[in-house]
Amino acid sequence: MQYELPSNFKLLPSVRARIAIQGLVSNADTPPQTARIASAGGRILAALLLALTAASPARAQDAQSPVKIGVLAKRSTEKCLEKWGATADYLTSQISGHFFTIVPLGFDEHEGAVVREEVDFILVGSSYYVGLETSHGANRIATLKNKQLGKAYTILGGVIFRRADREDIQDLDDLKGKTFMAVNEDSLGSWMAAWRELKEIGIDPYSDFADLRFGGSLDAVVYAVRDGKVDAGTVRTDMLERMAAEGKIRLEDFYVLEHDHVDEDVCEFPFLHSTDIYPEWPIAKLKHTSNELAEKVAVALIGMPADCPAAQAAQCAGWTVALNYQSVHECLKELRVGPYKDYGKITLADMVRQYWPWMAAGLAALVLMIAVTIWMIRLNRNISRTQSALRESEERLQTIQDSVQAGVVLIDAETHVIVDANPAALKMAGVSKQSVVGRVCHGFVYPEEEGKCPITDLGQEVDNSERVLVGADGQTIPILKTVTRITLNDREHLLESFVDITDRKRAENELRESNKRFEHIARSSGDWIWEVDTNARYTYASGRVKEILGYDPEEIIGKRPVDLMPEEEAKHILETTKDTFAAREPLVDLENWNLTKDGKLVCLLTNGVPILDENGQLLGYRGVDKDITNRKRDEDVIKQTRDEAEASAERAERTRADMERMNVVMMGREERVLEMKQEVNDLLVELGRAGKYQHV
């Protein structure tokens, strides 16, 4: 379908386009022979890509149950089914034994459907895919080829626009203090691309706009701007043209904003746009979906003819091999949204855990790039009969080399002269292409001296090996490099591909230093430091255990604490601690008796805390044991002395009581003697005699 654009519109190319447009645009005038070769190549690339998908076990699809494809309904459920229903029918007809169906999903529904495994494949915007890839293991298998103006495009961007009669808004700076509407906070083309442009010129839409709204659908945003409900808005590229073609709007009623750095000669993207461009929507398999079914779906989609009913209903030109979505990652990372909302707020341990998946992904991308490069070279030799086909193949190869994030350098194997280098390699070394091409690599980009090339002179193999790259300033950069021998124009070359691992090496060094510090602390501590897993088996023991129990740390690994205790003590400790472990509570001052390697009893005072992962799952316990045997023996001596003293005090108390009773008896007898003396005196008086006894 062709569009007539009003005279007041300009095609707005992005000056910072991260995707080589010429390599992503499929020309409708491509010769049939070349088109067939490219189609066959696409199938081979799809197979290569699927061979590198995640190795985790995938659930086999039941041939009797429908295969569900979740699709983001960016406009409405009805339009979603109308647009993609034919694609499900196409896959059903192409893949025997399976029935495919479309499940429309709202902007806030797609992630829940993936988590609950309610769909088997997912077709969403690029930013949504990046989030699902990072958080839930989604794996892209093909990229949509959007069809407009007679050509196929695998890229998209954002368009920032206002009503044509709003002369007070001439550029992006004029949006400060205005009302603005986008589709959804998680949409790449309909919000994030525009947000990134605004951020680059110092506008924070969340604080600098009078009001920021999200309309929920593309149509709602366009109508809100047209009807004056907001001052400006943003939607994904080609939306204005589509609605104009449907007769819903007139392009003359709108004006697209550009900003100062736009250069019309940068790209040939034909749609109205105001932002950078990014890869089109991908379709991705989910973790529970089998690789076998995903491969069939990928091959069927990549082989979909551009004129079949499914492609026409989807207003696309079919599908291509899944593109590199690194530019989307960079956009989300810069905006700190999606999987990168906490980017930069990580500990050393988090950084190490974070970089390993990226390195694995980079390695997979490197292997894929090499496979694609080799395939392109072989394809180049197959179509070398015609000069035009050769140039087309070389341009395609150059596009791939320029777009990959890994450095690629082509060297003549005999002369060691650098023949070519892609932008990633030049940027890594800090040199220009003119200063590199034609020069000998020895001592310039690579540190090896002449005659000591590891490949051609020493016969070594370099396959995912750590090497160094010499930068323009003479500094060495650690890289992970692979070298492949290839033949171009009947001459042997070395194809070297590498990635910068400076951050990884720095993280490894920091981790080693951290481990050394921990070991020094553990060795200097008078206590035994330990770790156990969820089965209460030791996974780490410091050297102090040798002095306390007589075991080397290696002898302790794999044992349980109760394995080192007498049988009755082990039963007592298991009963005492079972509730603590069940509640994941710390161990506090737990006294327990253990047997040394030579059979002696040692009393330990145990303290420990649970180890939890980021999801709160228990990984084990970490703690220290202190030898309190001498203290316990001293306590026993003190207790015995105290018991003997108490017994002596008790005997003294009984003696004192006996003495008091004797005193009472003696005092009673003395009083009786006095009474008797008084009676005798009284009797003598009566008899006329003087008293004989006197009171003393």
Side-chain angles (χ1 to χ4, degrees):
M1 182 179 294
Q2 300 291 334
Y3 293 104
E4 288 289 337
L5 299 180
S7 59
N8 63 326
F9 278 90
K10 294 181 179 180
L11 299 181
L12 303 179
S14 169
V15 74
R16 296 171 292 100
R18 293 171 175 81
I19 303 173
I21 302 303
Q22 291 81 357
L24 301 178
V25 176
S26 175
N27 195 320
D29 297 329
T30 301
Q33 180 182 3
T34 304
R36 286 194 298 272
I37 294 174
S39 176
R43 293 176 184 270
I44 295 173
L45 287 174
L48 287 172
L49 177 62
L50 289 166
L52 296 170
T53 54
S56 58
R59 186 183 68 196
Q61 261 62 36
D62 184 356
Q64 302 301 321
S65 61
V67 180
K68 298 178 181 180
I69 303 176
V71 181
L72 182 63
K74 63 180 181 179
R75 298 180 69 179
S76 67
T77 298
E78 294 75 14
K79 286 190 175 293
C80 179
L81 292 172
E82 177 184 344
K83 185 174 183 178
W84 298 107
T87 298
D89 297 338
Y90 168 80
L91 291 174
T92 300
S93 67
Q94 294 293 313
I95 303 174
S96 61
H98 292 282
F99 172 73
F100 291 80
T101 183
I102 299 298
V103 180
L105 299 171
F107 285 99
D108 57 350
E109 296 174 339
H110 68 282
E111 185 170 9
V114 170
V115 172
R116 295 188 295 271
E117 299 185 359
E118 295 174 352
V119 294
D120 305 299
F121 295 88
I122 193 76
L123 174 56
V124 292
S126 302
S127 60
Y128 295 103
Y129 162 70
V130 166
L132 295 177
E133 175 192 60
T134 305
S135 302
H136 304 294
N139 201 334
R140 61 189 182 276
I141 61 174
T143 295
L144 180 68
K145 294 196 292 187
N146 193 12
K147 185 177 181 181
Q148 286 293 347
L149 303 178
K151 292 184 179 181
Y153 300 92
T154 55
I155 52 177
L156 59 85
V159 54
I160 304 173
F161 61 99
R162 60 162 171 86
R163 278 178 34 160
D165 58 358
R166 289 296 302 271
E167 298 295 335
D168 57 320
I169 303 175
Q170 293 297 324
D171 53 38
L172 297 183
D173 286 322
D174 294 333
L175 292 176
K176 286 187 177 181
K178 302 296 192 296
T179 58
F180 194 88
M181 180 177 286
V183 175
N184 183 279
E185 282 192 285
D186 299 323
S187 174
L188 176 64
S190 300
W191 171 235
M192 294 181 186
W195 180 10
R196 191 182 190 188
E197 299 297 328
L198 293 167
K199 183 179 180 181
E200 288 194 358
I201 64 170
I203 295 179
D204 182 355
Y206 289 93
S207 61
D208 294 337
F209 286 169
D211 185 24
L212 175 60
R213 310 175 195 173
F214 295 94
S217 72
L218 296 162
D219 301 61
V221 175
V222 176
Y223 291 146
V225 174
R226 183 196 64 182
D227 298 338
K229 295 180 180 179
V230 292
D231 298 322
T234 183
V235 293
R236 63 161 280 161
T237 51
D238 85 4
M239 187 60 197
L240 292 176
E241 291 89 343
R242 287 185 185 273
M243 292 184 68
E246 294 170 359
K248 295 182 176 180
I249 62 170
R250 296 188 315 154
L251 290 178
E252 297 83 12
D253 294 337
F254 300 93
Y255 180 83
V256 174
L257 298 180
E258 59 181 332
H259 56 95
D260 297 338
H261 68 230
V262 170
D263 180 357
E264 293 193 17
D265 296 328
V266 171
C267 71
E268 300 175 356
F269 193 47
F271 303 114
L272 304 172
H273 65 289
S274 312
T275 71
D276 278 351
I277 50 179
Y278 304 90
E280 262 287 1
W281 285 27
I283 185 171
K285 70 175 284 293
L286 304 182
K287 287 197 299 185
H288 67 270
T289 305
S290 71
N291 288 341
E292 179 183 1
L293 177 59
E295 180 177 355
K296 293 178 180 179
V297 171
V299 172
L301 289 176
I302 294 174
M304 177 188 290
D307 58 352
C308 77
Q312 292 176 352
Q315 298 179 347
C316 72
W319 299 79
T320 187
V321 176
L323 300 181
N324 187 338
Y325 284 76
Q326 185 61 31
S327 60
V328 183
H329 281 279
E330 294 299 330
C331 177
L332 271 59
K333 187 183 297 182
E334 183 176 331
L335 297 176
R336 300 294 193 273
V337 295
Y340 298 103
K341 62 181 179 180
D342 294 324
Y343 181 74
K345 303 177 182 178
I346 55 177
T347 64
L348 176 61
D350 294 331
M351 183 173 65
V352 173
R353 286 195 297 269
Q354 179 178 344
Y355 271 87
W356 275 112
W358 283 107
M359 293 305 299
L363 181 60
L366 179 63
V367 173
L368 177 62
M369 184 277 298
I370 294 174
V372 172
T373 302
I374 295 174
W375 175 82
M376 291 294 293
I377 293 172
R378 291 176 180 174
L379 178 63
N380 182 26
R381 292 160 63 184
N382 291 335
I383 62 175
S384 60
R385 297 176 183 177
T386 62
Q387 188 63 32
S388 60
L390 178 60
R391 284 195 301 268
E392 180 183 341
S393 178
E394 290 174 346
E395 291 174 358
R396 189 181 301 114
L397 175 60
Q398 190 62 47
T399 298
I400 293 175
Q401 291 178 344
D402 291 346
S403 61
V404 295
Q405 300 300 309
V408 179
V409 176
L410 188 64
I411 300 174
D412 188 296
E414 180 179 351
T415 64
H416 294 94
V417 170
I418 298 175
V419 177
D420 198 5
N422 75 338
L426 298 173
K427 182 179 180 181
M428 228 178 279
V431 296
S432 65
K433 191 167 187 177
Q434 292 78 6
S435 66
V436 169
V437 174
R439 296 191 59 171
V440 176
C441 63
H442 296 304
F444 179 55
V445 177
Y446 302 125
E448 291 81 4
E449 298 178 359
E450 186 173 359
K452 296 183 180 180
C453 175
I455 309 299
T456 60
D457 299 324
L458 304 181
Q460 298 177 1
E461 292 186 1
V462 180
D463 183 14
N464 291 333
S465 302
E466 292 190 8
R467 292 290 192 271
V468 295
L469 181 72
V470 180
D473 56 0
Q475 296 295 321
T476 58
I477 303 168
I479 59 174
L480 192 66
K481 182 166 74 171
T482 294
V483 180
T484 303
R485 290 178 180 266
I486 61 174
T487 301
L488 292 176
N489 298 327
D490 298 326
R491 190 174 181 85
E492 188 176 25
H493 290 76
L494 302 178
L495 180 65
E496 303 195 357
S497 54
F498 47 86
V499 293
D500 186 349
I501 58 172
T502 301
D503 291 339
R504 192 191 79 176
K505 298 297 289 185
R506 183 184 300 113
E508 290 175 351
N509 292 335
E510 291 176 354
L511 180 60
R512 279 195 294 270
E513 288 301 319
S514 177
N515 289 337
K516 287 182 180 178
R517 287 194 295 270
F518 177 75
E519 284 297 330
H520 292 163
I521 294 173
R523 290 174 183 173
S524 62
S525 172
D527 300 332
W528 166 26
I529 302 174
W530 51 261
E531 286 186 5
V532 297
D533 59 18
T534 53
N535 295 318
R537 295 191 179 276
Y538 288 109
T539 58
Y540 172 79
S542 67
R544 180 63 175 166
V545 67
K546 176 73 174 179
E547 301 176 25
I548 296 177
L549 295 180
Y551 291 98
D552 291 324
E554 295 76 12
E555 297 179 271
I556 292 294
I557 303 304
K559 294 182 180 294
R560 301 178 303 162
V562 293
D563 295 337
L564 307 175
M565 301 177 185
E567 183 177 355
E568 290 302 320
E569 179 72 359
K571 291 180 181 180
H572 169 69
I573 293 300
L574 287 173
E575 181 65 26
T576 302
T577 60
K578 65 179 182 179
D579 292 338
T580 301
F581 288 141
R584 302 179 183 179
E585 295 177 346
L587 295 170
V588 181
D589 292 342
L590 176 65
E591 294 184 2
N592 52 98
W593 286 91
N594 293 257
L595 291 172
T596 64
K597 192 173 182 178
D598 56 5
K600 296 179 181 179
L601 280 173
V602 174
C603 187
L604 301 180
L605 183 67
T606 299
N607 287 274
V609 294
I611 307 172
L612 306 177
D613 64 13
E614 61 271 14
N615 299 318
Q617 297 297 316
L618 181 67
L619 300 178
Y621 269 75
R622 179 185 295 118
V624 295
D625 279 358
K626 179 185 290 294
D627 184 356
I628 60 170
T629 305
N630 292 334
R631 191 184 81 183
K632 293 296 292 184
R633 290 171 178 168
D634 292 343
E635 290 176 354
D636 291 342
V637 171
I638 292 172
K639 182 177 183 302
Q640 181 179 357
T641 303
R642 184 186 298 113
D643 291 343
E644 292 176 354
E646 290 177 353
S648 298
E650 184 177 349
R651 287 195 298 271
E653 178 64 22
R654 287 198 300 268
T655 301
R656 185 190 63 79
D658 292 341
M659 293 296 294
E660 289 181 352
R661 284 195 296 271
M662 292 178 64
N663 289 335
V664 170
V665 170
M666 293 300 295
M667 290 177 64
R669 290 178 178 177
E670 184 177 352
E671 290 176 356
R672 180 58 182 160
V673 170
L674 293 175
E675 291 176 355
M676 292 177 65
K677 287 181 178 181
Q678 183 64 41
E679 290 176 356
V680 171
N681 285 334
D682 293 340
L683 181 60
L684 292 175
V685 170
E686 290 178 1
L687 295 176
R689 298 178 182 177
K692 182 178 181 179
Y693 300 103
Q694 301 294 324
H695 290 288
V696 180

